[in-house]
Amino acid sequence: MTADPPPFERHHRTAQALVSTFQEALEPQFTAKGVLSREEFTRAMGLMMAHWPSVLPLFASICQSCTAASCTASGCGGCTTMGDAAGDGQQPLHHDGRRRDFVTRLMVSALRTRLPDSMDPVTGASFPQVILPGLQSTLTALFYEKEWEALNASAVALFNRLGTDRDAEVWRRLAHEETLAVLADTPFIRVMLRFRQFHQQRQTFIRRMTDHLRERHFVFAEEHFQALFDALFGRLRDGLRTELDRARTDIHYGEGTAEALLRIFDQFDKHRLEQSVPVRVLGGRQMPRPMLAQRSMLGATPAAKRR
């Protein structure tokens, strides 16, 4: 006796049947009215069906019976992950008391694999580890509650499909799963798009991070923002290099996404270049440009008060 397919596969088949029915219902009407030729319509539908497997992760992400904490109680048998299939004994990841924010978990995994640890010489704090609590609060503040919940549900589904939440292993598996990589990039792109008004939103981000980290006596400075921005979003540049890459980005994430990301990268690159230019002072000497976060925090730290 064969086992029932997972719920998201059943949803996938249902939607496929609906699209096929849509084609059968509208094709005579298009032919009669001459709005589209039969060949054009059939070709368009053929392309849609050819790319249909790429939407499978999206159906997995909206399958509430696979992502809800009540999965076991409801008797859902469709939560088999890649890890389970491989026999490594990993269990699906659910919202529990220990971990609820899987969007930040995904972003932290990117930071840890792309940004080496460095120690602050004054406080001894390790960057980026020291900023993680502040990062979580600052990221969630960029979105409405329902928006964040939707992103989090997709992140839960992603981790379940990957079968692991170990940092290096997550990105190793994503490198071989193109359709899941599209799903994984979604929260990064949504966060980056919050920097459309780059200079104002960068300053707001730095101020919020500094406020959240005040008790840790850590000043989140311009250099930290640049390192964080590069680690989180730098790899997205690969999807913007050619016209075909940009078209794919718009297809996956919405019309105009590629252009908006390019503008943000352009503003970031110009700002980073400006910050790297030394400031000339009296006597013709040059000195490094003061970091904005440090200027705004003067008098707020114990060291500044002693001065």
Side-chain angles (χ1 to χ4, degrees), residues 105-150:
R105 180 71 190 87
L106 181 63
M107 294 193 165
V108 168
S109 74
L111 283 181
R112 286 174 172 164
T113 55
R114 294 174 174 84
L115 192 60
D117 289 339
S118 60
M119 182 170 291
D120 185 281
V122 177
T123 65
S126 177
F127 176 80
Q129 183 67 32
V130 68
I131 71 168
L132 298 187
L135 180 64
Q136 182 180 36
S137 300
T138 303
L139 288 176
T140 54
L142 296 175
F143 296 86
Y144 292 111
E145 183 178 353
K146 293 301 181 183
E147 291 178 316
W148 191 257
E149 288 178 2

Tab-separated table of all heavy atoms in Angstrom, residues 105-150:
chain	number	residue	atom	x	y	z
A	105	ARG	N	17.169	33.816	12.324
A	105	ARG	CA	18.049	32.643	12.358
A	105	ARG	C	18.727	32.431	11.005
A	105	ARG	O	19.921	32.130	10.940
A	105	ARG	CB	17.228	31.397	12.737
A	105	ARG	CG	18.064	30.121	12.792
A	105	ARG	CD	19.000	30.142	13.984
A	105	ARG	NE	19.975	29.061	13.925
A	105	ARG	CZ	21.138	29.131	13.299
A	105	ARG	NH1	21.485	30.246	12.660
A	105	ARG	NH2	21.971	28.117	13.315
A	106	LEU	N	17.971	32.598	9.920
A	106	LEU	CA	18.539	32.440	8.585
A	106	LEU	C	19.574	33.523	8.298
A	106	LEU	O	20.641	33.249	7.736
A	106	LEU	CB	17.414	32.498	7.542
A	106	LEU	CG	17.821	32.333	6.087
A	106	LEU	CD1	18.433	30.952	5.841
A	106	LEU	CD2	16.617	32.537	5.168
A	107	MET	N	19.291	34.740	8.704
A	107	MET	CA	20.219	35.844	8.448
A	107	MET	C	21.477	35.708	9.290
A	107	MET	O	22.583	36.010	8.824
A	107	MET	CB	19.529	37.180	8.708
A	107	MET	CG	18.411	37.460	7.728
A	107	MET	SD	17.838	39.157	7.776
A	107	MET	CE	16.917	39.191	6.226
A	108	VAL	N	21.311	35.237	10.514
A	108	VAL	CA	22.484	35.018	11.367
A	108	VAL	C	23.373	33.933	10.773
A	108	VAL	O	24.610	34.022	10.827
A	108	VAL	CB	22.041	34.650	12.798
A	108	VAL	CG1	23.221	34.126	13.619
A	108	VAL	CG2	21.430	35.865	13.483
A	109	SER	N	22.769	32.908	10.194
A	109	SER	CA	23.576	31.858	9.572
A	109	SER	C	24.401	32.420	8.420
A	109	SER	O	25.539	31.999	8.198
A	109	SER	CB	22.677	30.718	9.082
A	109	SER	OG	21.959	31.077	7.918
A	110	ALA	N	23.824	33.389	7.683
A	110	ALA	CA	24.583	34.039	6.609
A	110	ALA	C	25.735	34.860	7.175
A	110	ALA	O	26.849	34.858	6.634
A	110	ALA	CB	23.657	34.921	5.775
A	111	LEU	N	25.480	35.569	8.269
A	111	LEU	CA	26.540	36.361	8.892
A	111	LEU	C	27.699	35.480	9.355
A	111	LEU	O	28.865	35.796	9.119
A	111	LEU	CB	25.981	37.122	10.098
A	111	LEU	CG	25.146	38.372	9.837
A	111	LEU	CD1	24.718	38.993	11.156
A	111	LEU	CD2	25.923	39.389	9.014
A	112	ARG	N	27.370	34.394	10.003
A	112	ARG	CA	28.420	33.545	10.578
A	112	ARG	C	29.256	32.850	9.520
A	112	ARG	O	30.413	32.492	9.777
A	112	ARG	CB	27.774	32.510	11.504
A	112	ARG	CG	27.293	33.115	12.815
A	112	ARG	CD	26.537	32.118	13.644
A	112	ARG	NE	26.245	32.634	14.981
A	112	ARG	CZ	25.351	32.116	15.806
A	112	ARG	NH1	24.666	31.043	15.443
A	112	ARG	NH2	25.138	32.641	16.990
A	113	THR	N	28.693	32.642	8.346
A	113	THR	CA	29.460	31.983	7.292
A	113	THR	C	30.207	32.978	6.412
A	113	THR	O	31.099	32.579	5.663
A	113	THR	CB	28.534	31.131	6.408
A	113	THR	OG1	27.462	31.937	5.891
A	113	THR	CG2	27.931	29.984	7.206
A	114	ARG	N	29.865	34.262	6.497
A	114	ARG	CA	30.473	35.252	5.602
A	114	ARG	C	31.248	36.357	6.313
A	114	ARG	O	31.973	37.108	5.673
A	114	ARG	CB	29.388	35.898	4.721
A	114	ARG	CG	28.749	34.918	3.751
A	114	ARG	CD	27.577	35.548	3.000
A	114	ARG	NE	27.076	34.648	1.973
A	114	ARG	CZ	26.206	33.675	2.188
A	114	ARG	NH1	25.735	33.499	3.407
A	114	ARG	NH2	25.810	32.886	1.212
A	115	LEU	N	31.060	36.472	7.623
A	115	LEU	CA	31.703	37.560	8.350
A	115	LEU	C	32.551	36.983	9.480
A	115	LEU	O	32.012	36.459	10.457
A	115	LEU	CB	30.627	38.499	8.927
A	115	LEU	CG	31.094	39.853	9.472
A	115	LEU	CD1	31.774	40.659	8.363
A	115	LEU	CD2	29.902	40.628	10.021
A	116	PRO	N	33.881	37.060	9.371
A	116	PRO	CA	34.740	36.487	10.418
A	116	PRO	C	34.597	37.260	11.729
A	116	PRO	O	34.346	38.462	11.738
A	116	PRO	CB	36.151	36.638	9.834
A	116	PRO	CG	36.039	37.757	8.845
A	116	PRO	CD	34.657	37.677	8.283
A	117	ASP	N	34.768	36.551	12.845
A	117	ASP	CA	34.692	37.193	14.159
A	117	ASP	C	35.862	38.146	14.352
A	117	ASP	O	36.993	37.883	13.918
A	117	ASP	CB	34.727	36.145	15.276
A	117	ASP	CG	33.441	35.347	15.340
A	117	ASP	OD1	32.418	35.843	14.837
A	117	ASP	OD2	33.457	34.232	15.895
A	118	SER	N	35.581	39.269	15.007
A	118	SER	CA	36.635	40.207	15.381
A	118	SER	C	36.336	40.712	16.786
A	118	SER	O	35.169	40.830	17.174
A	118	SER	CB	36.710	41.378	14.397
A	118	SER	OG	35.476	42.087	14.361
A	119	MET	N	37.382	41.019	17.551
A	119	MET	CA	37.199	41.422	18.947
A	119	MET	C	37.376	42.922	19.095
A	119	MET	O	38.323	43.511	18.556
A	119	MET	CB	38.196	40.687	19.848
A	119	MET	CG	38.038	41.024	21.318
A	119	MET	SD	39.019	39.947	22.395
A	119	MET	CE	38.144	38.394	22.189
A	120	ASP	N	36.433	43.548	19.789
A	120	ASP	CA	36.537	44.968	20.093
A	120	ASP	C	37.656	45.168	21.123
A	120	ASP	O	37.628	44.551	22.197
A	120	ASP	CB	35.205	45.479	20.653
A	120	ASP	CG	35.220	46.976	20.860
A	120	ASP	OD1	35.804	47.412	21.876
A	120	ASP	OD2	34.649	47.696	20.034
A	121	PRO	N	38.647	46.017	20.832
A	121	PRO	CA	39.792	46.163	21.741
A	121	PRO	C	39.437	46.815	23.075
A	121	PRO	O	40.168	46.665	24.047
A	121	PRO	CB	40.760	47.041	20.933
A	121	PRO	CG	39.892	47.775	19.963
A	121	PRO	CD	38.777	46.842	19.624
A	122	VAL	N	38.331	47.547	23.125
A	122	VAL	CA	37.953	48.248	24.356
A	122	VAL	C	37.108	47.360	25.261
A	122	VAL	O	37.399	47.170	26.443
A	122	VAL	CB	37.193	49.548	24.025
A	122	VAL	CG1	36.748	50.239	25.317
A	122	VAL	CG2	38.070	50.480	23.205
A	123	THR	N	36.035	46.802	24.692
A	123	THR	CA	35.092	46.021	25.506
A	123	THR	C	35.405	44.531	25.511
A	123	THR	O	34.914	43.805	26.374
A	123	THR	CB	33.661	46.212	24.976
A	123	THR	OG1	33.568	45.657	23.641
A	123	THR	CG2	33.292	47.682	24.929
A	124	GLY	N	36.193	44.058	24.541
A	124	GLY	CA	36.458	42.632	24.433
A	124	GLY	C	35.317	41.853	23.809
A	124	GLY	O	35.363	40.622	23.738
A	125	ALA	N	34.295	42.559	23.357
A	125	ALA	CA	33.143	41.895	22.746
A	125	ALA	C	33.502	41.383	21.363
A	125	ALA	O	34.322	41.967	20.647
A	125	ALA	CB	31.968	42.868	22.643
A	126	SER	N	32.896	40.261	20.987
A	126	SER	CA	33.154	39.657	19.683
A	126	SER	C	32.087	40.101	18.696
A	126	SER	O	30.893	39.939	18.933
A	126	SER	CB	33.157	38.138	19.805
A	126	SER	OG	33.333	37.533	18.534
A	127	PHE	N	32.527	40.690	17.592
A	127	PHE	CA	31.620	41.108	16.518
A	127	PHE	C	31.698	40.058	15.407
A	127	PHE	O	32.772	39.621	15.042
A	127	PHE	CB	32.058	42.476	15.968
A	127	PHE	CG	31.244	42.952	14.795
A	127	PHE	CD1	30.006	43.545	14.989
A	127	PHE	CD2	31.707	42.785	13.486
A	127	PHE	CE1	29.253	43.971	13.901
A	127	PHE	CE2	30.962	43.201	12.404
A	127	PHE	CZ	29.732	43.806	12.612
A	128	PRO	N	30.557	39.559	14.883
A	128	PRO	CA	29.196	40.099	15.035
A	128	PRO	C	28.376	39.487	16.166
A	128	PRO	O	27.212	39.846	16.327
A	128	PRO	CB	28.574	39.748	13.690
A	128	PRO	CG	29.212	38.456	13.303
A	128	PRO	CD	30.620	38.540	13.791
A	129	GLN	N	28.936	38.565	16.953
A	129	GLN	CA	28.147	37.889	17.979
A	129	GLN	C	27.453	38.879	18.911
A	129	GLN	O	26.298	38.703	19.288
A	129	GLN	CB	29.040	36.942	18.772
A	129	GLN	CG	28.312	36.127	19.829
A	129	GLN	CD	27.329	35.121	19.240
A	129	GLN	OE1	27.561	34.600	18.164
A	129	GLN	NE2	26.244	34.872	19.957
A	130	VAL	N	28.153	39.952	19.274
A	130	VAL	CA	27.617	40.883	20.256
A	130	VAL	C	26.373	41.615	19.761
A	130	VAL	O	25.531	42.045	20.556
A	130	VAL	CB	28.714	41.907	20.655
A	130	VAL	CG1	29.052	42.822	19.483
A	130	VAL	CG2	28.287	42.715	21.871
A	131	ILE	N	26.201	41.739	18.455
A	131	ILE	CA	25.082	42.539	17.939
A	131	ILE	C	23.821	41.722	17.695
A	131	ILE	O	22.784	42.291	17.334
A	131	ILE	CB	25.466	43.243	16.620
A	131	ILE	CG1	25.584	42.223	15.480
A	131	ILE	CG2	26.740	44.061	16.782
A	131	ILE	CD1	25.682	42.846	14.100
A	132	LEU	N	23.859	40.407	17.862
A	132	LEU	CA	22.734	39.572	17.447
A	132	LEU	C	21.422	39.915	18.152
A	132	LEU	O	20.380	39.995	17.493
A	132	LEU	CB	23.083	38.093	17.638
A	132	LEU	CG	24.264	37.591	16.797
A	132	LEU	CD1	24.410	36.081	16.932
A	132	LEU	CD2	24.131	37.989	15.326
A	133	PRO	N	21.409	40.142	19.477
A	133	PRO	CA	20.138	40.532	20.092
A	133	PRO	C	19.584	41.843	19.527
A	133	PRO	O	18.382	41.965	19.284
A	133	PRO	CB	20.495	40.660	21.578
A	133	PRO	CG	21.704	39.804	21.758
A	133	PRO	CD	22.470	39.945	20.484
A	134	GLY	N	20.452	42.809	19.314
A	134	GLY	CA	20.018	44.077	18.732
A	134	GLY	C	19.576	43.924	17.293
A	134	GLY	O	18.636	44.591	16.843
A	135	LEU	N	20.235	43.034	16.566
A	135	LEU	CA	19.882	42.803	15.167
A	135	LEU	C	18.466	42.247	15.055
A	135	LEU	O	17.690	42.657	14.192
A	135	LEU	CB	20.883	41.842	14.534
A	135	LEU	CG	20.640	41.495	13.051
A	135	LEU	CD1	20.779	42.740	12.191
A	135	LEU	CD2	21.621	40.418	12.593
A	136	GLN	N	18.121	41.314	15.911
A	136	GLN	CA	16.786	40.724	15.870
A	136	GLN	C	15.712	41.788	16.071
A	136	GLN	O	14.738	41.865	15.308
A	136	GLN	CB	16.665	39.638	16.933
A	136	GLN	CG	15.314	38.947	16.935
A	136	GLN	CD	15.217	37.873	18.003
A	136	GLN	OE1	15.762	38.035	19.087
A	136	GLN	NE2	14.541	36.786	17.697
A	137	SER	N	15.882	42.631	17.075
A	137	SER	CA	14.894	43.675	17.353
A	137	SER	C	14.822	44.699	16.229
A	137	SER	O	13.738	45.158	15.865
A	137	SER	CB	15.232	44.384	18.673
A	137	SER	OG	15.242	43.470	19.745
A	138	THR	N	15.970	45.047	15.668
A	138	THR	CA	16.007	46.061	14.620
A	138	THR	C	15.391	45.544	13.324
A	138	THR	O	14.686	46.271	12.620
A	138	THR	CB	17.455	46.514	14.364
A	138	THR	OG1	18.015	46.988	15.592
A	138	THR	CG2	17.511	47.643	13.343
A	139	LEU	N	15.632	44.281	12.999
A	139	LEU	CA	15.054	43.708	11.787
A	139	LEU	C	13.536	43.609	11.879
A	139	LEU	O	12.823	43.974	10.934
A	139	LEU	CB	15.656	42.329	11.520
A	139	LEU	CG	17.112	42.280	11.049
A	139	LEU	CD1	17.574	40.835	10.935
A	139	LEU	CD2	17.281	42.995	9.716
A	140	THR	N	13.034	43.126	12.994
A	140	THR	CA	11.583	42.978	13.125
A	140	THR	C	10.892	44.329	13.081
A	140	THR	O	9.749	44.430	12.623
A	140	THR	CB	11.221	42.258	14.427
A	140	THR	OG1	11.819	42.938	15.538
A	140	THR	CG2	11.723	40.824	14.416
A	141	ALA	N	11.580	45.387	13.531
A	141	ALA	CA	10.991	46.721	13.525
A	141	ALA	C	10.813	47.277	12.114
A	141	ALA	O	10.085	48.258	11.920
A	141	ALA	CB	11.851	47.681	14.352
A	142	LEU	N	11.450	46.672	11.132
A	142	LEU	CA	11.335	47.152	9.748
A	142	LEU	C	10.018	46.739	9.095
A	142	LEU	O	9.676	47.238	8.022
A	142	LEU	CB	12.493	46.595	8.908
A	142	LEU	CG	13.908	47.041	9.300
A	142	LEU	CD1	14.939	46.308	8.453
A	142	LEU	CD2	14.064	48.541	9.149
A	143	PHE	N	9.263	45.815	9.720
A	143	PHE	CA	8.086	45.234	9.084
A	143	PHE	C	6.876	45.333	10.008
A	143	PHE	O	7.007	45.394	11.227
A	143	PHE	CB	8.331	43.756	8.740
A	143	PHE	CG	9.417	43.535	7.738
A	143	PHE	CD1	10.742	43.438	8.148
A	143	PHE	CD2	9.134	43.427	6.390
A	143	PHE	CE1	11.757	43.240	7.225
A	143	PHE	CE2	10.147	43.219	5.464
A	143	PHE	CZ	11.455	43.126	5.879
A	144	TYR	N	5.698	45.317	9.376
A	144	TYR	CA	4.478	45.134	10.151
A	144	TYR	C	4.460	43.707	10.695
A	144	TYR	O	5.086	42.799	10.148
A	144	TYR	CB	3.246	45.390	9.297
A	144	TYR	CG	3.072	46.836	8.887
A	144	TYR	CD1	3.227	47.224	7.556
A	144	TYR	CD2	2.756	47.812	9.831
A	144	TYR	CE1	3.077	48.548	7.173
A	144	TYR	CE2	2.609	49.146	9.462
A	144	TYR	CZ	2.768	49.497	8.131
A	144	TYR	OH	2.618	50.808	7.756
A	145	GLU	N	3.695	43.504	11.746
A	145	GLU	CA	3.679	42.199	12.408
A	145	GLU	C	3.283	41.078	11.459
A	145	GLU	O	3.917	40.016	11.434
A	145	GLU	CB	2.714	42.233	13.595
A	145	GLU	CG	2.683	40.936	14.391
A	145	GLU	CD	1.755	41.004	15.584
A	145	GLU	OE1	1.230	42.109	15.860
A	145	GLU	OE2	1.546	39.955	16.236
A	146	LYS	N	2.240	41.284	10.649
A	146	LYS	CA	1.773	40.236	9.736
A	146	LYS	C	2.788	39.959	8.639
A	146	LYS	O	2.934	38.820	8.185
A	146	LYS	CB	0.423	40.624	9.130
A	146	LYS	CG	-0.713	40.656	10.141
A	146	LYS	CD	-0.902	39.294	10.805
A	146	LYS	CE	-2.043	39.303	11.806
A	146	LYS	NZ	-2.182	37.990	12.501
A	147	GLU	N	3.503	40.995	8.199
A	147	GLU	CA	4.544	40.797	7.189
A	147	GLU	C	5.644	39.896	7.741
A	147	GLU	O	6.108	38.981	7.070
A	147	GLU	CB	5.141	42.145	6.769
A	147	GLU	CG	4.216	43.033	5.983
A	147	GLU	CD	4.856	44.373	5.654
A	147	GLU	OE1	5.495	44.963	6.554
A	147	GLU	OE2	4.709	44.835	4.518
A	148	TRP	N	6.041	40.178	8.988
A	148	TRP	CA	7.105	39.377	9.589
A	148	TRP	C	6.649	37.951	9.814
A	148	TRP	O	7.406	36.999	9.630
A	148	TRP	CB	7.559	40.010	10.899
A	148	TRP	CG	8.811	39.406	11.443
A	148	TRP	CD1	8.915	38.519	12.467
A	148	TRP	CD2	10.151	39.630	10.979
A	148	TRP	NE1	10.231	38.175	12.683
A	148	TRP	CE2	11.008	38.846	11.786
A	148	TRP	CE3	10.707	40.426	9.978
A	148	TRP	CZ2	12.390	38.831	11.606
A	148	TRP	CZ3	12.072	40.407	9.799
A	148	TRP	CH2	12.901	39.620	10.602
A	149	GLU	N	5.392	37.768	10.209
A	149	GLU	CA	4.857	36.426	10.410
A	149	GLU	C	4.879	35.634	9.104
A	149	GLU	O	5.189	34.435	9.108
A	149	GLU	CB	3.432	36.500	10.955
A	149	GLU	CG	3.348	36.949	12.413
A	149	GLU	CD	1.912	37.052	12.893
A	149	GLU	OE1	0.991	36.736	12.095
A	149	GLU	OE2	1.700	37.433	14.053
A	150	ALA	N	4.547	36.294	7.992
A	150	ALA	CA	4.554	35.613	6.697
A	150	ALA	C	5.974	35.211	6.309
A	150	ALA	O	6.213	34.089	5.829
A	150	ALA	CB	3.940	36.511	5.627
